Coordinates of all heavy atoms in Angstrom, one line a residue:
M1 N 109.0 95.8 79.0 CA 109.0 96.4 80.4 C 110.5 96.5 80.8 O 111.2 95.5 80.9 CB 108.2 95.6 81.3 CG 107.9 96.3 82.6 SD 106.7 95.3 83.6 CE 107.0 96.0 85.2
P2 N 110.9 97.7 81.2 CA 112.3 97.8 81.7 C 112.5 97.1 83.0 O 111.6 97.0 83.8 CB 112.5 99.3 81.8 CG 111.1 99.9 82.0 CD 110.2 98.9 81.3
P3 N 113.7 96.7 83.3 CA 114.0 96.1 84.6 C 113.9 97.1 85.7 O 114.1 98.3 85.4 CB 115.4 95.5 84.4 CG 116.0 96.4 83.4 CD 114.9 96.7 82.4
P4 N 113.5 96.7 86.9 CA 113.4 97.7 88.0 C 114.8 98.2 88.3 O 115.7 97.5 88.2 CB 112.7 96.9 89.1 CG 113.1 95.5 88.8 CD 113.1 95.4 87.3
P5 N 114.8 99.4 88.8 CA 116.1 99.9 89.3 C 116.7 99.1 90.4 O 115.9 98.5 91.2 CB 115.8 101.3 89.8 CG 114.4 101.7 89.3 CD 113.7 100.3 89.1
R6 N 118.0 98.9 90.4 CA 118.6 98.1 91.4 C 118.9 98.8 92.7 O 119.2 100.0 92.6 CB 119.9 97.5 90.9 CG 119.7 96.9 89.5 CD 120.9 96.1 89.1 NE 121.0 94.9 89.9 CZ 121.8 93.9 89.7 NH1 122.7 94.0 88.7 NH2 121.8 92.8 90.4
P7 N 118.7 98.2 93.8 CA 119.0 98.9 95.1 C 120.5 99.3 95.1 O 121.4 98.6 94.6 CB 118.8 97.8 96.1 CG 117.9 96.8 95.5 CD 118.3 96.8 94.0
F8 N 120.7 100.4 95.7 CA 122.1 100.9 95.8 C 122.2 101.7 97.1 O 121.3 102.1 97.8 CB 122.5 101.8 94.6 CG 121.6 103.0 94.5 CD1 121.9 104.2 95.1 CD2 120.4 103.0 93.8 CE1 121.1 105.4 95.0 CE2 119.6 104.1 93.6 CZ 119.9 105.3 94.2
T9 N 123.5 101.9 97.5 CA 123.8 102.6 98.8 C 124.5 103.8 98.4 O 125.5 103.8 97.7 CB 124.7 101.7 99.7 OG1 123.9 100.5 100.0 CG2 125.0 102.4 101.0
L10 N 124.1 104.9 99.0 CA 124.8 106.2 98.9 C 125.6 106.4 100.3 O 125.0 106.2 101.3 CB 123.9 107.4 98.7 CG 123.2 107.5 97.4 CD1 122.2 108.6 97.4 CD2 124.2 107.7 96.3
A11 N 126.8 106.7 100.1 CA 127.7 106.8 101.3 C 128.5 108.1 101.2 O 129.0 108.5 100.2 CB 128.6 105.6 101.5
C12 N 128.6 108.8 102.4 CA 129.4 110.0 102.4 C 130.8 109.7 102.7 O 131.1 108.8 103.5 CB 128.8 110.9 103.6 SG 129.8 112.4 103.8
R13 N 131.7 110.4 102.0 CA 133.1 110.1 102.2 C 133.7 110.9 103.3 O 134.8 110.7 103.7 CB 133.9 110.5 100.9 CG 133.5 109.6 99.7 CD 134.2 110.0 98.5 NE 133.7 109.3 97.3 CZ 134.3 109.3 96.1 NH1 135.4 110.0 96.0 NH2 133.8 108.6 95.2
N14 N 132.9 111.8 103.8 CA 133.4 112.7 104.9 C 133.0 112.3 106.3 O 133.7 112.5 107.2 CB 132.9 114.1 104.6 CG 133.6 115.2 105.4 OD1 134.8 115.1 105.5 ND2 132.8 116.1 105.9
C15 N 131.8 111.8 106.4 CA 131.3 111.3 107.7 C 130.7 109.9 107.5 O 130.9 109.3 106.5 CB 130.2 112.3 108.3 SG 128.6 112.3 107.4
A16 N 130.1 109.4 108.5 CA 129.7 108.0 108.5 C 128.3 107.8 107.9 O 127.8 106.7 107.9 CB 129.7 107.5 110.0
W17 N 127.7 108.9 107.4 CA 126.3 108.8 106.9 C 126.3 107.8 105.7 O 127.1 107.9 104.8 CB 125.8 110.1 106.4 CG 124.4 110.1 105.9 CD1 123.3 110.1 106.6 CD2 124.1 110.0 104.5 NE1 122.2 110.0 105.7 CE2 122.7 109.9 104.4 CE3 124.8 109.8 103.3 CZ2 122.0 109.8 103.2 CZ3 124.1 109.7 102.1 CH2 122.7 109.7 102.1
Q18 N 125.3 107.0 105.6 CA 125.0 106.2 104.4 C 123.6 105.8 104.4 O 122.9 105.7 105.5 CB 125.9 105.0 104.3 CG 125.7 103.9 105.3 CD 126.4 102.6 105.0 OE1 127.6 102.7 104.7 NE2 125.8 101.5 105.0
Q19 N 123.0 105.6 103.3 CA 121.6 105.2 103.2 C 121.5 104.3 102.0 O 122.0 104.6 100.9 CB 120.7 106.4 103.0 CG 119.3 106.0 103.0 CD 118.4 107.2 103.4 OE1 118.7 108.0 104.2 NE2 117.1 107.2 102.9
T20 N 120.7 103.2 102.2 CA 120.5 102.3 101.1 C 119.1 102.6 100.5 O 118.1 102.8 101.2 CB 120.5 100.9 101.6 OG1 121.7 100.6 102.1 CG2 120.1 99.9 100.5
M21 N 119.1 102.8 99.2 CA 117.9 103.1 98.4 C 117.3 101.9 97.8 O 118.0 101.1 97.2 CB 118.2 104.1 97.3 CG 119.0 105.3 97.8 SD 118.1 106.3 99.0 CE 119.3 107.6 99.3
L22 N 116.0 101.7 98.0 CA 115.3 100.6 97.4 C 114.3 101.2 96.4 O 113.1 101.4 96.7 CB 114.6 99.8 98.4 CG 115.4 99.2 99.5 CD1 114.6 98.5 100.6 CD2 116.4 98.2 99.0
P23 N 114.7 101.5 95.2 CA 113.8 102.2 94.3 C 112.6 101.3 93.9 O 112.8 100.2 93.5 CB 114.7 102.5 93.1 CG 116.1 102.3 93.5 CD 116.0 101.3 94.6
C24 N 111.4 101.9 94.0 CA 110.3 101.1 93.6 C 109.9 101.5 92.1 O 109.1 100.8 91.5 CB 109.1 101.4 94.5 SG 109.5 101.2 96.2
S25 N 110.4 102.6 91.6 CA 110.0 103.0 90.3 C 111.2 103.8 89.8 O 112.2 104.1 90.4 CB 108.7 103.8 90.3 OG 109.0 105.1 90.9
D26 N 111.0 104.3 88.5 CA 112.1 105.1 87.9 C 112.0 106.5 88.5 O 113.0 107.2 88.3 CB 111.9 105.2 86.4 CG 112.0 103.8 85.8 OD1 112.8 103.0 86.2 OD2 111.3 103.5 84.8
L27 N 110.9 106.8 89.1 CA 110.8 108.2 89.6 C 111.3 108.3 91.0 O 110.7 107.9 92.0 CB 109.3 108.6 89.6 CG 109.0 110.1 89.6 CD1 109.5 110.8 88.4 CD2 107.5 110.3 89.7
L28 N 112.5 108.8 91.1 CA 113.1 109.0 92.5 C 112.8 110.3 93.0 O 113.0 111.3 92.3 CB 114.7 108.8 92.4 CG 115.1 107.4 91.9 CD1 116.6 107.3 91.8 CD2 114.6 106.3 92.8
K29 N 112.4 110.4 94.3 CA 112.1 111.6 94.9 C 113.4 112.2 95.6 O 114.0 111.5 96.4 CB 111.0 111.5 96.0 CG 109.7 111.1 95.3 CD 108.6 111.0 96.4 CE 107.5 110.2 95.9 NZ 107.1 109.1 96.8
L30 N 113.7 113.4 95.2 CA 114.9 114.0 95.8 C 114.8 114.1 97.3 O 113.7 114.5 97.8 CB 115.1 115.4 95.2 CG 116.4 116.1 95.5 CD1 117.6 115.3 94.9 CD2 116.4 117.5 94.9
N31 N 115.9 113.8 98.0 CA 116.0 113.9 99.4 C 115.1 112.8 100.1 O 114.9 112.9 101.3 CB 115.6 115.3 100.0 CG 116.7 116.3 99.6 OD1 117.8 115.9 99.5 ND2 116.2 117.5 99.4
Q32 N 114.5 111.9 99.3 CA 113.9 110.8 99.9 C 114.5 109.5 99.3 O 114.9 108.6 100.0 CB 112.4 110.8 99.7 CG 111.7 109.6 100.3 CD 110.2 109.7 100.1 OE1 109.6 110.8 100.1 NE2 109.5 108.6 99.8
D33 N 114.5 109.5 98.0 CA 115.1 108.3 97.3 C 116.5 108.7 96.8 O 117.2 107.8 96.2 CB 114.2 107.8 96.2 CG 112.9 107.3 96.7 OD1 112.9 106.8 97.8 OD2 111.9 107.6 96.1
W34 N 116.8 110.0 96.8 CA 118.0 110.4 96.2 C 118.6 111.6 96.9 O 117.8 112.5 97.3 CB 117.8 110.7 94.7 CG 119.0 111.1 93.9 CD1 119.4 112.3 93.5 CD2 120.0 110.2 93.5 NE1 120.5 112.3 92.9 CE2 121.0 111.0 92.9 CE3 120.2 108.8 93.6 CZ2 122.1 110.4 92.3 CZ3 121.3 108.2 93.1 CH2 122.3 109.0 92.4
F35 N 119.9 111.7 97.0 CA 120.5 112.8 97.7 C 121.6 113.4 96.8 O 122.4 112.7 96.2 CB 121.1 112.4 99.0 CG 120.1 112.0 100.1 CD1 119.6 110.7 100.1 CD2 119.6 112.9 101.0 CE1 118.6 110.3 101.0 CE2 118.6 112.5 101.9 CZ 118.2 111.2 102.0
L36 N 121.6 114.7 96.8 CA 122.7 115.4 96.0 C 123.8 115.7 96.9 O 124.9 116.0 96.4 CB 122.1 116.7 95.3 CG 121.1 116.4 94.2 CD1 120.6 117.8 93.7 CD2 121.7 115.6 93.1
E37 N 123.6 115.8 98.2 CA 124.7 116.0 99.1 C 124.3 115.3 100.4 O 123.2 114.9 100.7 CB 124.8 117.6 99.4 CG 123.5 118.1 100.0 CD 123.6 119.6 100.2 OE1 124.5 120.3 99.6 OE2 122.7 120.2 100.9
C38 N 125.4 115.2 101.3 CA 125.2 114.5 102.5 C 124.2 115.3 103.4 O 124.5 116.5 103.6 CB 126.5 114.3 103.2 SG 126.4 113.7 104.9
P39 N 123.2 114.7 103.9 CA 122.2 115.5 104.8 C 122.8 115.8 106.1 O 122.3 116.7 106.9 CB 121.0 114.5 105.0 CG 121.6 113.2 104.7 CD 122.7 113.4 103.7
Q40 N 124.0 115.2 106.5 CA 124.6 115.5 107.8 C 125.6 116.6 107.7 O 125.7 117.6 108.4 CB 125.2 114.3 108.4 CG 124.2 113.4 109.0 CD 124.8 112.2 109.7 OE1 126.0 112.2 110.0 NE2 124.0 111.2 110.0
C41 N 126.5 116.5 106.7 CA 127.7 117.4 106.7 C 127.7 118.2 105.4 O 128.6 119.0 105.1 CB 129.0 116.7 106.9 SG 129.4 115.6 105.5
R42 N 126.7 118.1 104.5 CA 126.6 118.9 103.3 C 127.7 118.7 102.3 O 128.0 119.5 101.5 CB 126.5 120.4 103.6 CG 125.3 120.7 104.5 CD 124.0 120.5 103.7 NE 122.8 120.7 104.6 CZ 121.6 120.3 104.2 NH1 121.4 119.7 103.1 NH2 120.6 120.4 105.0
Q43 N 128.3 117.6 102.4 CA 129.4 117.2 101.5 C 128.8 116.7 100.2 O 128.0 115.8 100.3 CB 130.4 116.2 102.2 CG 131.7 116.1 101.6 CD 131.8 115.0 100.5 OE1 132.1 115.3 99.4 NE2 131.4 113.8 100.9
P44 N 129.1 117.3 99.1 CA 128.4 116.9 97.9 C 128.8 115.7 97.2 O 128.2 115.2 96.2 CB 128.6 118.2 97.0 CG 129.9 118.7 97.4 CD 130.0 118.4 98.9
Q45 N 129.9 115.2 97.5 CA 130.4 114.0 96.8 C 130.1 112.7 97.5 O 130.8 112.2 98.4 CB 132.0 114.1 96.7 CG 132.4 115.2 95.7 CD 133.9 115.3 95.6 OE1 134.6 115.3 96.5 NE2 134.3 115.3 94.3
L46 N 128.9 112.2 97.1 CA 128.5 110.9 97.7 C 128.9 109.8 96.9 O 128.9 109.8 95.6 CB 127.0 110.9 97.9 CG 126.4 112.0 98.8 CD1 124.9 112.0 98.8 CD2 127.0 111.9 100.2
E47 N 129.3 108.7 97.5 CA 129.7 107.5 96.8 C 128.5 106.6 96.6 O 127.8 106.3 97.6 CB 130.8 106.8 97.7 CG 131.5 105.7 97.0 CD 132.6 105.1 97.8 OE1 133.7 105.7 97.8 OE2 132.3 104.2 98.5
R48 N 128.3 106.2 95.4 CA 127.2 105.3 95.1 C 127.8 103.9 94.8 O 128.7 103.8 93.9 CB 126.4 105.8 93.9 CG 125.3 104.9 93.5 CD 124.6 105.5 92.3 NE 123.7 104.5 91.8 CZ 122.6 104.7 91.0 NH1 122.4 105.9 90.6 NH2 121.9 103.7 90.5
R49 N 127.2 102.9 95.4 CA 127.7 101.6 95.2 C 126.5 100.6 95.2 O 125.4 101.0 95.8 CB 128.7 101.1 96.2 CG 128.3 101.3 97.6 CD 129.5 100.8 98.5 NE 129.3 101.3 99.9 CZ 128.6 100.8 100.8 NH1 128.0 99.7 100.6 NH2 128.6 101.3 102.0
A50 N 126.6 99.5 94.6 CA 125.5 98.5 94.6 C 125.3 98.1 96.1 O 126.3 97.9 96.8 CB 125.9 97.3 93.7
A51 N 124.1 98.0 96.5 CA 123.8 97.6 97.8 C 124.1 96.1 98.0 O 123.8 95.3 97.2 CB 122.3 97.9 98.1
S52 N 124.7 95.9 99.2 CA 124.9 94.5 99.5 C 123.6 93.9 100.1 O 122.7 94.6 100.4 CB 126.0 94.4 100.5 OG 125.6 94.9 101.8
R53 N 123.6 92.6 100.2 CA 122.4 91.9 100.7 C 122.1 92.4 102.1 O 121.0 92.6 102.5 CB 122.6 90.4 100.7 CG 122.6 89.9 99.3 CD 122.8 88.4 99.3 NE 121.5 87.7 99.7 CZ 121.4 86.4 99.8 NH1 122.3 85.6 99.4 NH2 120.2 85.9 100.2
R54 N 123.2 92.6 102.8 CA 123.0 93.1 104.2 C 122.4 94.5 104.2 O 121.5 94.8 105.0 CB 124.4 93.1 104.9 CG 124.3 93.6 106.3 CD 125.7 93.5 106.9 NE 125.7 94.2 108.2 CZ 126.7 94.0 109.1 NH1 127.6 93.2 108.9 NH2 126.6 94.7 110.2
D55 N 122.9 95.4 103.3 CA 122.4 96.7 103.2 C 120.9 96.7 102.9 O 120.1 97.4 103.4 CB 123.1 97.5 102.1 CG 124.5 97.8 102.5 OD1 124.8 97.9 103.7 OD2 125.4 98.0 101.6
I56 N 120.5 95.8 101.9 CA 119.1 95.7 101.5 C 118.3 95.3 102.7 O 117.2 95.8 102.9 CB 119.0 94.8 100.3 CG1 119.8 95.4 99.1 CG2 117.6 94.5 100.0 CD1 119.9 94.4 98.0
L57 N 118.7 94.3 103.4 CA 118.0 93.8 104.5 C 117.7 94.9 105.6 O 116.6 95.0 106.1 CB 118.7 92.6 105.2 CG 118.4 91.2 104.5 CD1 119.3 90.2 105.2 CD2 117.0 90.8 104.6
R58 N 118.8 95.6 105.8 CA 118.7 96.7 106.8 C 117.7 97.7 106.4 O 116.9 98.2 107.1 CB 120.1 97.3 107.1 CG 120.0 98.5 108.0 CD 121.4 99.0 108.3 NE 122.1 98.2 109.3 CZ 123.2 98.5 109.8 NH1 123.8 99.6 109.4 NH2 123.8 97.7 110.7
A59 N 117.8 98.1 105.1 CA 116.9 99.2 104.5 C 115.5 98.7 104.6 O 114.6 99.5 104.9 CB 117.3 99.5 103.1
R60 N 115.2 97.4 104.3 CA 113.9 96.9 104.3 C 113.3 96.9 105.8 O 112.2 97.3 106.0 CB 113.8 95.5 103.8 CG 114.0 95.4 102.3 CD 113.2 94.4 101.7 NE 113.3 94.4 100.2 CZ 113.9 93.5 99.5 NH1 114.4 92.5 100.0 NH2 114.0 93.7 98.2
L61 N 114.2 96.6 106.7 CA 113.8 96.6 108.1 C 113.5 98.1 108.5 O 112.5 98.3 109.2 CB 115.0 96.1 109.0 CG 114.6 95.9 110.4 CD1 113.5 94.9 110.6 CD2 115.9 95.4 111.2
D62 N 114.3 99.0 108.1 CA 114.1 100.4 108.4 C 112.7 100.9 107.9 O 111.9 101.5 108.6 CB 115.2 101.3 107.8 CG 116.4 101.2 108.6 OD1 116.4 100.7 109.8 OD2 117.5 101.7 108.2
Q63 N 112.4 100.5 106.6 CA 111.2 100.9 106.0 C 110.0 100.3 106.8 O 109.0 100.9 107.1 CB 111.1 100.3 104.6 CG 111.8 101.2 103.6 CD 111.6 100.8 102.2 OE1 111.1 99.7 101.9 NE2 111.9 101.6 101.2
F64 N 110.2 99.0 107.2 CA 109.1 98.3 108.0 C 108.9 99.0 109.3 O 107.7 99.3 109.7 CB 109.6 96.9 108.2 CG 108.6 96.1 109.0 CD1 107.4 95.7 108.5 CD2 108.9 95.8 110.3 CE1 106.5 95.0 109.2 CE2 108.0 95.0 111.1 CZ 106.8 94.6 110.6
L65 N 110.0 99.4 110.0 CA 109.8 100.0 111.3 C 109.2 101.4 111.2 O 108.7 101.9 112.1 CB 111.2 100.1 112.0 CG 111.8 98.7 112.3 CD1 113.2 98.9 112.9 CD2 110.9 98.0 113.3
K66 N 109.4 102.1 110.0 CA 108.9 103.4 109.9 C 107.4 103.4 109.5 O 106.7 104.5 109.6 CB 109.6 104.1 108.7 CG 110.9 104.7 109.2 CD 111.6 105.4 108.0 CE 113.1 105.5 108.2 NZ 113.9 105.8 107.0
L67 N 106.8 102.3 109.1 CA 105.4 102.3 108.8 C 104.5 102.6 110.0 O 104.8 102.1 111.1 CB 105.0 100.9 108.2 CG 105.7 100.5 106.9 CD1 105.3 99.1 106.5 CD2 105.2 101.5 105.8
D68 N 103.6 103.5 109.7 CA 102.6 103.8 110.8 C 101.4 103.0 110.8 O 100.5 103.3 110.0 CB 102.3 105.3 110.7 CG 103.5 106.2 111.0 OD1 104.3 105.9 111.8 OD2 103.6 107.2 110.2
H69 N 101.4 102.0 111.5 CA 100.2 101.1 111.6 C 99.5 101.3 112.9 O 100.1 101.1 113.9 CB 100.5 99.7 111.4 CG 100.8 99.3 109.9 ND1 99.9 99.3 109.0 CD2 102.0 99.1 109.3 CE1 100.5 99.0 107.8 NE2 101.8 98.9 108.0
Ligands
ZN101 ZN1 128.6 113.5 105.5

C-alpha cells in the first residue's frame, strides 16, 4: 500500500493567496485539491511547499467549518 500523499501548501508569489491541501487520496480534483494558477490573480507560478503543522491545523479547521451539518 503506497503511503498517503503528504499535506502541502500552494502559495502565490504575486499576491497573498495560499491554500493548504490535505490530500485524502491520490486522486486530486482540479481547482479543489489542486490549482494550476492562482484563483485570485491568475498567476500561473504557484509555489508548492510542505505544509507546516500550523498550515495543516488551519486547513483542518477550515474543512471543519465548511461542513454542512
Ligand atoms: Zn495570486
Side-chain angles (χ1 to χ4, degrees):
M1 191 171 162
R6 310 192 71 170
F8 59 92
T9 299
L10 289 176
C12 178
R13 297 179 186 188
N14 193 44
C15 70
W17 179 87
Q18 71 170 44
Q19 184 158 331
T20 299
M21 309 297 179
L22 304 173
C24 308
S25 72
D26 296 324
L27 199 63
L28 296 179
K29 293 183 199 126
L30 190 63
N31 293 327
Q32 181 179 323
D33 298 324
W34 185 254
F35 292 86
L36 294 178
E37 61 183 14
C38 174
Q40 282 188 15
C41 70
R42 299 293 172 194
Q43 198 269 123
Q45 289 180 312
L46 297 178
E47 187 175 277
R48 177 180 167 161
R49 54 180 160 86
S52 67
R53 294 182 70 178
R54 180 177 168 163
D55 290 336
I56 294 169
L57 276 176
R58 174 178 284 186
R60 289 218 173 109
L61 186 63
D62 283 348
Q63 280 187 346
F64 177 74
L65 293 176
K66 279 180 201 162
L67 294 176
D68 295 320
H69 285 287

